[in-house]
Amino acid sequence: MNWIEEISNPHARQWEEFYRNRWQHDRVVRSTHGVNCTGSCSWMIYVKDGIVTWELQALDYPVLNNGLPPYEPRGCQRGISFSWYQYSPIRVKHPYIRGVLVDLWRKAKETHQDPVEAWTAVIEDEAGRKAFHQARGKGGFRRTSWDEVTEIIAASTMYTIKKYGPDRIIGFSPIPAMSMLSYAGGSRLIQMLGAVSMSFYDWYSDLPPASPETWGEQTDVAESADWFNSKYIVSVGSNMSMTRTPDVHFAAEARHNGTKLVVFAPDFNQVAKYADWWVPVNAGQDGAFWMAVNHVIMNEFHYQHPTPYFLDYMKRYTDSPFLVELNEVDGKYVPGRMVRAGQVERTKDVENGEWKFLVWDEISNAPRMPQGSLGFRWQQQKGQWNLEPKDGLDGSEIQAQLTFFGATDEQLSVSFAEFGEGKSFQRNVPVRTIETTNGKVTVATIYDLLMAQYGVGRGLEGDYPADYDDENLSYTPAWQERYTGIDRQTVIQFAREWATTAEKTEGKCMIIIGAGVNHWYHNNLIYRACIGALMLTGCVGRNGGGLNHYVGQEKLAPMAPWASIAFALDWQKPPRQMNSPSFHYINSDQWRYERTYTEPQPVSRPEVEHHRDMTQEHTLDANIRAVRMGWLPSYPQFNVSSLEIIRKAEQAGAKSDAEIRQWVVDQLKSGELKFAVQDPDAPENWPRLWFIWRGNALNASAKGQEYFFKHYLGTHNQIISDEVDKSHFKEVTYRDEAPEGKFDLVVDINFRMDTSALYSDIVLPTASWYEKDDLNTTDMHSFIHPLQMAVPPSWESKSDWDIFKILAEKFSELAPTHFPEPVRDLVAMPLQHDTPAEMAQAHIRDWAKGECEPIPGVTMPNFVVTERDYVNLGKRFVSLGPKVEQEGFAVHGIHMEVGDLYREILKSKPTVTWNGQTYPSLENARDGANIILGLAPETNGEVAYRAFKAEEERIGLKLTDLAEPTRAVRMDFKDVVRQPRRLLNSPVWTGIMTDGRPYAAYTLNVERLVPWRTLTGRQHFYLDHEGYLAYGEHLPTYKPRPDPLAFGDLEKSHSEGKTIQLNYLTPHAKWHIHSNYFDNDRMLTLSRGIEPLWISEQDAKAIGVIDNDWVEAYNDHGVTVTRAIVSARIPPGICILYHAPERTVSLPKSPMRGNKRAGGHNSPTRVHLKPSLMVGGYGQFTYSFNYWGPTGVNRDTFILVRKLPGKPEF
Amino acid sequence: MKVRSQVSMVFHLDKCIGCHTCSIACKNIWTDREGAEYMWWNNVETKPGVGFPTQWEDQEKYHGGWELNDKPKNPELKLKLQNRLQTFANLFSNPAMPTMDDYYEPWTYKYGDLFSSPLGDDQPTARPISRVDGKPIDIEAGPNWDDDLGGSNIYAVNDPLLADMRAEEKQRLFSIEQLFYFYMPRICNHCLNAACGASCPSGAIYKRAEDGVVLINQDKCRAWRMCVSACPYKKTYYNWSTGKSEKCILCYPRLESGQSPACFHSCVGRIRYLGVLLYDADKIPDALKVPDEQLVQRQREMILDPHDPKVVAAAKESGIPDGVITAAQNSPVYQYVKKWEMALPLHPEYRTLPMLFYVPPLLPVLNATGANGTQRVETDLFSSLENARVPVRYMSRTLAAGNDELVIKSYQKMIAVRLYKRAETVGDVTKEEADAALAKAGMTAEEAKAIYHLTSLPNYQERFVIPPYSREGDIEELYDPQQRKAEAGFGRSQGAQRGL
């Protein structure tokens, strides 16, 4: 037998230098990946011979505290493969332009000196325009120079502004937190032009509408270290192993600390592998499960064995003790609006009495008006907007009565809807009668309505289930079985374990929730069902508890100064910010293919709630109303240029801004002037120019991609669906011919030739993530750290900031000819969250129907006149403007003065001087980063102190102690380069992080009694907006998934041979982050060289498909061709195509659709907006960018799948 | 007692998320070259599955590792490959060599077409092309082909470990109510009885005396490729460009500078541990001549207690530096492998004495069909041994040469730690229940706390205890270290040609 030789002799081992030499390197630089993954991982980039060779994770995150696992290392398989891109053949190294276009341009330039005139000649020649539009996506790129291409862009920008107005130009870039200066460069230019910043969080369907509904907050969650503090972690529609790769160790490690992990998913997914329990709930039916969980919790832990911790929590921190009016309909009663302070004699004269709400106080045995509700937030007298249990009138103590059960003898039979079967139930509810200035009103507490809604009878009369085995009366464990497919015993055991854990740990039960649930049409209802379980057991605002929605890297921590730079608020206000879901639904003409979708309402509502028609109208009509009433933004704004309209008003005699506004109102009222949304297909209303950067707008997020191709781009597409009959529409001007190719020009800024680049007219090469300076934050951890230039921008690329700076300069060079003087622009603004406009519309009153007067900023959008200085735009771009010094910042309604700090920056940091004035410099991204770090409460302890001081005054309770210990902290770019730095406590956010405590949302609210930014100031179970009442979504409820046929996916698509119909799911992927890394050769090698379609063994067998066969998946909207991957971990009836492969790699042609190139994952999708999410001007239901509005859901899609006939053709 | 030190490894599979960050950390640094494209010194497999290269565990096919003769009274160990390669003549035809089909044909895409396609009537797309011949390729295999598949009737069903399992046991793997999968990251095991080294006709493969890292001398390798066949883990690879075989080097240039190997550093699941084990090399021959079910125990017996003064004295006697002994005393690997007996070697029956050990993974409890065809989840609070999806039998075939008891013991400890911590932090499990679980697992509360700490809380320094490498000592044999300080990295430049 030979033994292996052991050698110590160095002479025999000299060859070992071979591998040592490979490891040697010249430089190591900290950076990260600007990708919307939430990772925000600190990476060390290794440079050798001026070439980036590899990357490894940084390991130097500050430790939070010794009882927690550390954060190191952070960074996943995708991040570590980034260096492949750096010098790869898919890297965009030079500016490119479509050959057809550049030929037209060069020809026009021969005869037109002025670039704007040259562009006019190009774009107003219908044949030429069509020629380059039809060439989009079909090859024929040519290299060009920066000079030529920036001239074209500047010229087309100027042309568009002059001809149509600046709001026909849109800029799309997602999720600023991942590289905030790169975002800000583009948005700063966009806003200085007067153009439109497009939202992303709602369009991606990353926004959970239930969060604004419940908490008045876009999203606020725990950092991942806090998972370790939880004792019961439940994953719902989230696949942490895949999508929170650097964080999931906290879950694994928590398990070894005695934490239970339960995973809900239809497939045996990657995180299920970790779990104690895998609950295979039917796709999209999680809400039914949680409704039944809440039934058990209320029955056992609230009613049968009242848990003091739970009841106390409900009383203090939720809306459950508030009073709701019961209205009579045909002898039955339905819950209506919350009772207002202004309705009763005692408080009828208080300020904002319509926006202060009443509870029943056990001490005075009368209705009382607790502090902290919306009316206190915006009243003159400061210091009453807090959650102390005190009466807002005289400061007396209040003991709110949660339930009238046992306290009164009065009961009413109240109607409750059960949408699953379309039934209604009559259930007795304990009530009181109170005296209002309008007579007697019967009221119930929200808590008692919840008991009745969940079906906990407490011995009361009515259609209450007798026990858990009642299958018909909602919402019992037996009832949910038919929807979820989960046995009732599992529900019961789950609910008991959950509540027991919450009781014993005072709130350490946590839900980790994600896109698997948030992309369903009724996602807000599913979420509210989950949130219910958290609130009923006191788990929100507790470390180790809460709803942790992780979808998108939305948390830009140093928001206040960043927003000022990003939206050019340092120079001018307001910004134009558009909700993309509405924009794309309207402008890509998807509405033309969608029939009116109505939901049956099993419970009749009273006549007075005459806005019942909300539930019966076409989505486009609903959106038009939402625009008209100031609920949602809408750009393009009017059928007249927003610059032109001021000239017209002045011609008509308007002098002041107020007169201009009034003229606009009059014109709208008379119908002379129209919102563009009323006639979106009119050429003057089309969006014309599109800048895309840091994102893949034509692919990854393009729900209804083929509609984009057809109507936006005017190129080939795979749509076979028919337009619906025009009788569906009442409000819109319907044009028989749907326009194709609305966008004159699409400019993409990219470091890789992705689908958006491939379909754009111009591609500008941008610096990669290892070639630029920037900042990065996430909600997954509480550090801020940089992107850094490890090597200079490769080839001809430039950083995003520098690209937009050049475009700004180039544009300004054209201005002396075209806009020599500053020009005024009228901006239409929706009613804004965190302003008094939250109190604008107590009722739905439509001025266009004569129900009220049109009053800007109250019953309709606000109209603001602002000034654009195009000549100096380039200079302004690189200068931090004077409004920062004069006005400071305002975020979430918190105001911060920073004038002295601005002046300090002028002394200590680089400056620029022009027209005799000196400003802090924004010449490069690093300057911007230093300004952000220097002025944000999260990174400057003095600003944090001031912000808490301001908040203290508003709420009337001590808060500055949270800032005092760190008041001296100052961070700058050098510091965050040295080591990731932990953020400071800040009232802009809601987690207390003192002494290494992990960030958990709403601990500030619970511990320091800061109200939530909602109607009652508390967390809301009950949503009494008239639209919600009309939709039957005032109480947490269950609604079934929309019928596939209602969405028209499969009207014209038929079975071809052996075909199967499947629900088409596109959850987030293992081998890419959205489309980033999909085309990376490393990731493709470790997967299957393609993104395959996952189907079950049974379904594959039914269509004669075996693993790795090619399949064609199609519906009326489009088609995709890929390979099948067959696994028993997938249940029958669903298929998964992980989001979001590119069309650029390995995509065959579709034999079914004319042997043209098949589409990607979004080819078979179309967006469906939920109209109830369009309401506005009412408490937390008031618009803010990426905060509120319908979301771009796409889970409810169905496709047909067949084996691809023959061999794939490329 | 002949004390040797080995840098050894533990992979805690319960924490592995199958992300493959480790694989790419390695690929970026070491195997991104021509001839090495298909090499994955570190790979991650979904088990059950066929693995990489396909069915590497099927030693009837590949003849890797060692086997005992059938003479119980006079047991002798020989390379399994020698059955096929009895004669020197066979050197030139090695039938047990994996072929490209067993690995995969590396591919890339014609990305350039996206830039250069002329204007046409359809969208260009980058076709897959072979990295071997540049021609269009139909991709049918890859280094991680059955990733996340779980119960697949093509892949998992052909897992060699399932070959003789009962039909109903097998069927369980394909029902969604009962199926399971877990991840198995694999690197070179840096075996004490490495079959690769024993098989090398050129004597190119050796174990470094100071840390036990097994290397293929790139100067001496003569491309016999016997190591490729003889390694039962298929962790040596032939570089077709250089004509040499290569394998995981445990990132010795990083170890030598006090850093963990790149795959350890980058492990974002924090599943990896690295540290020194001291072992008694005199015990190696006998430890391998025992029946399969005793192999793990005998391997554990070889591993010495670094706190035992006798061992320390013997280690010093054997020339092991003080710093290495201290590292051995702080080794997390020692804790998991020897002290707690939770980590087990991969396929000890190959008898190579692998020095990488795995803590087996927990998996969710089973589901069953309830009333009305609903799914009912087993009622255990936590994943349990009785109702867990992962079959002990499968795990023991993987990590204990079929000895179920060893796997059960490891699981019992993990479960007891969880119950102990649950009782402590929540209280819905009583102290009595927790104590009973500890007793059943044969452990104390102190041990439970220590296991908890090293499983959940360890920082970088606790996971990787890298022994000091006093490089100047070795360098001194070749150059004056001060000269090395002055000249390292300059390489050799050609002197000027004078006098022309």
Side-chain angles (χ1 to χ4, degrees), chain A residues 234-266:
Chain A
V234 184
S235 166
V236 184
S238 183
N239 191 343
M240 295 104 79
S241 299
M242 298 243 285
T243 61
R244 305 297 147 219
T245 312
D247 306 292
V248 71
H249 70 87
F250 286 113
E253 287 156 347
R255 289 169 55 244
H256 292 269
N257 190 25
T259 300
K260 178 160 184 169
L261 176 63
V262 180
V263 170
F264 291 83

Side-chain angles (χ1 to χ4, degrees), chain B residues 315-359:
Chain B
K316 290 186 178 193
E317 182 80 7
S318 301
I320 295 175
D322 290 355
V324 175
I325 295 170
T326 307
Q329 288 168 343
N330 295 327
S331 168
V333 176
Y334 179 77
Q335 309 269 85
Y336 272 118
V337 173
K338 175 90 176 190
K339 194 168 172 197
W340 303 331
E341 300 189 333
M342 290 175 77
L344 298 159
L346 179 60
H347 292 304
E349 71 277 17
Y350 298 162
R351 290 169 202 264
T352 60
L353 289 172
M355 293 304 272
L356 161 56
F357 303 86
Y358 293 89
V359 179

Side-chain angles (χ1 to χ4, degrees), chain A residues 735-746:
Chain A
R735 292 174 181 253
D736 289 335
E737 199 67 29
E740 299 187 12
K742 288 181 171 179
F743 278 101
D744 289 346
L745 187 72
V746 181

